[in-house]
Amino acid sequence: MKIKNLSIIYVIILLLTGEFVVAQDNYIELVNLIRKEKVDSLKVKIAQTHLNSAIRKSDTLNMANAYLFLSLYQPSKKVAYIDSVISITKSKNYLRFPSVSYLQKGVIKYELGQYIEALELYVKASEAAKKSGNDRIYLIAKFNIGLLKNMSGDREEALTIFNEYINFIEQKPEHQDQFNYNRVLFALADSYIHTKDLALAKTTIEKGIKETLKTNDSTVYSYILVTSGIHQYLLNNYSKAIDSLKKGKKLITKFDDSETRIATCDYYIGRSYKDLGNEEKSIFHFKKADTILRKTKDVIPDIINIYDYLKAFAKSENNYELQLEYLNTQLELDSIRHANQVSLTRNITKKYDAAELKSEKEKLIKQFERDTFLKNNTINFLITLSIILVLIAIYGFRKSYLNKIRFQKLLKEQKQPKVDQSEIIKNVNEELTKKPDIDIPTDVIETILKKLHDFEDKKQFAKKHYTLNSLAKELQTNSAYLSKIINVYKNVNFANYLNNLRIDFAVDQLSSNKSLRSYTIQAIAEEVGFKNAQSFSSAFHKKTGIYPSYFIKHIKP
């Protein structure tokens, strides 16, 4: 069940506690005056009087206090008042400001379904609270983030957050009030339901019912009653589930304007009737939930699969047009759900991914077209799809073939006999007569080339991260000479010269050293002289045409 309209109440209760701004006695005076009044217009008048006084005194803190109360009792100007609080306190570090104003604006965004913006504001509230050392607001902001996670399906992480918050309340009586406590119990019960911990869900639901009845908290009582119905459904007690869900639904319609809660009730009532074998009542409630979802576009991950039942019903009636309509609605709502969830949690799950839904839609379209003798579009679609699949297959086969050829070539080159030292010295002398004059004394070139061959032969390139200057210093020459000689006699620049040596060494080692193949790519990279796996993989592919992971996978054990 989606926990909505809950976080706004937290902020209101937060603002009505006596622990707000210790440094300002007139805040407590403002709280006490407002609490005495029963009519909102008189509360607004008191807050406005305090605001005018604070403005005359340039008292930023009390201006913020007054604006915040005005935002509570003048809903039409709520956003403007909260923005005023943020504007005058964003550079301050008061105990409760600007964290409370960020929190309250986040709640507004949440209620509008603007979840990404809500998350950003909750994060700001959390950061401001941490900066001012206000643990309570920090945990309330975190709790609201937990509500977002819960809504998006990240139940386990949300459950951890809720438990952290309820422990904070229970361990610090000065922060505890029954109103908050009831709602945390509801959030916990809801999370236990969705993490399938039915034993803890049962305990928490019973505790929540007891506490809400004791305090006459009819709002949360109705929510927990619905959660109890869902719990009974999961226990296969379908008749009890229907009873609790209908009672909860009736209570919710009296004071909660959130139609999504009603949709949740209808969904689980429908599921219960279906499992009892009453198809007619089941479809009736699924259709009621569908009507609400189409109207509000407020997608609840738990109940979006009503369309699986509705599509199956339409199919059983041979109504392909209605089946397609339900599928299109499911696709639209699933798209909205995905957009809302994408930045809220890194572990988002959904029943159907876009590709599966689109594929199902295409099948329904083809069925509909066959039944109405519109076959041309189907044939064109199949031809286009076949061409795409053939092109994809050709690309895949070609890539696989080229990788195989490159792999075999690499193995063949690796197995060729190594040139001995005497041949290397002979080649150096021949190179000196063939290469163009590079304005470096011949004896210097010969000396550096021999030292480079010695550097290569001893595999020094794999021992540390060389730069042009560090290698020149080691070879007792200067970087300008070394760079020219490598460019002319090795036909590559210095960076590629080192990379090529290391890749050849890596190929040789991976071919002969079986244990090295069990290393991670990062570890192999470090073994042959690279700083990280990315640079190693890039250099390996550049020289060989394949990646090291492919080479390791296909080399003989």
Side-chain angles (χ1 to χ4, degrees), residues 56-73:
R56 287 195 300 271
K57 298 175 183 177
S58 299
D59 186 344
T60 303
L61 188 53
N62 277 301
M63 287 167 59
N65 293 338
Y67 276 132
L68 211 50
F69 275 102
L70 287 169
S71 74
L72 293 176
Y73 300 111

Side-chain angles (χ1 to χ4, degrees), residues 95-113:
L95 181 63
R96 297 297 183 95
F97 293 111
S99 55
V100 166
S101 45
Y102 285 134
L103 190 62
Q104 192 177 14
K105 190 168 183 179
V107 169
I108 293 170
K109 294 294 184 181
Y110 179 89
E111 296 301 324
L112 292 172

